[in-house]
Each structure stands twice: as structure tokens, then as C-alpha cells.
Amino acid sequence: MRACFALQQNRKFLDKQYKTVDNSSMLLYTVYNKGGMNLNIIISNSSMQPIYEQIVTQVKAKIMNGELKEQTMLPSVRTLAKEIKVSALTVKKAYDALDEEGFIVTVHGKGSFVTLANQGILLEEKKKEVEADFDMAIRKGRSCGMRDQELTELFQIVLED
């Protein structure tokens, strides 16, 4: 654990927590919002995925699994940027992408809020993830020399379990 602290001042805690997750290349940031909601974000500086996409992916996952409920206020762009030590433009780009995809709505002067997640959108996102996992498994099997028939048989065996 790189640095994890909570300072008590007048019975209030400084709401910051930073932990190294993987040899200093990944940092877990816990960002607390005024409404009491905390947002754990893991940033990997060694990842090939841009930081804004890491934010988008994690926030979408939290919405889809019900961790972030409808009308939950997200930390402001500046607050999140400051806490995870990235540019405000990076967080803005992530929030814009989430807004465009219908996961959040940003009200100028008020903040960004989780929207009533359209169940169709959520279901489609989950289907995309499953499809990507299948695609990766098929490519891995083919790289080992497996034929389509062998892959299908293996799929049937796994499906029966």
C-alpha cells in the first residue's frame, strides 16, 4: 500500500484514499462525493487503454451492476480530475462519452448524474461483452490449432456444466 490516509479534523475525515494495486503501475483511487457516494477508480498508467476509456469502462460497469443507482451524483469533473491526478479534459472526455451513450446526464451548473439506465442499452452492452469474450476464446482456440468442430464441442461441454 503506497499511501492510505485519513486525517481526523473536528470529527471529519479527509476523504482520500490511494492504494497501489499492482507494482505502482496501477493505482486505486477512492473518491468520495459530498452525497456520501464513493467511486473507486483504478488507473493503470501502463495500460494501452487511454485513461478516459478506463474511467468510462469502470463507471459503466458500476452502473450496469447496480453499484451506481439512478440520480446518483458523480464527482465533478474538477474534483475527479484532482483526486485521480489527471487532466480535467480527460475526465470531461470520459463524462461526455458516458453522456453520449446514455449512462449519465450532465446538467450545466448542477453536475453529472446517473440516468435511468435504459435496460435495452444495458442488455446490449452486456451482450457486446459476452460476444467479445467468445471472440477472444475462439481466437485463442484457433491459435492452439483447434478446429471449429472442436471449439463447438468444447462450448457444448462448458454450456452443460
Side-chain angles (χ1 to χ4, degrees), residues 51-70:
I51 292 173
Y52 86 93
E53 284 182 8
Q54 293 179 46
I55 296 167
V56 169
T57 301
Q58 291 176 58
V59 171
K60 280 173 37 176
K62 290 176 186 310
I63 292 170
M64 290 192 315
N65 72 20
E67 203 174 314
L68 291 176
K69 306 283 185 211
E70 179 185 5

Side-chain angles (χ1 to χ4, degrees), residues 7-70:
L7 297 176
Q8 188 171 8
Q9 295 174 335
N10 300 331
R11 295 192 182 267
K12 292 184 181 179
F13 289 94
L14 180 61
D15 296 329
K16 297 180 184 179
Q17 183 179 26
Y18 309 103
K19 297 179 187 174
T20 55
V21 176
D22 180 49
N23 297 330
S24 300
S25 65
M26 292 175 64
L27 290 174
L28 167 65
Y29 296 94
T30 302
V31 181
Y32 293 90
N33 207 11
K34 290 178 184 173
M37 181 277 307
N38 66 5
L39 184 64
N40 292 322
I41 299 284
I42 297 174
I43 299 297
S44 174
N45 292 321
S46 62
S47 173
M48 295 303 290
Q49 185 181 35
I51 292 173
Y52 86 93
E53 284 182 8
Q54 293 179 46
I55 296 167
V56 169
T57 301
Q58 291 176 58
V59 171
K60 280 173 37 176
K62 290 176 186 310
I63 292 170
M64 290 192 315
N65 72 20
E67 203 174 314
L68 291 176
K69 306 283 185 211
E70 179 185 5

Side-chain angles (χ1 to χ4, degrees), residues 72-99:
T72 299
M73 183 177 181
L74 296 177
S76 71
V77 169
R78 283 189 217 160
T79 299
L80 186 57
K82 179 182 169 193
E83 296 302 324
I84 64 174
K85 297 179 172 89
V86 298
S87 165
L89 293 174
T90 300
V91 175
K92 173 90 169 91
K93 188 172 183 178
Y95 278 19
D96 286 348
L98 288 164
D99 199 341

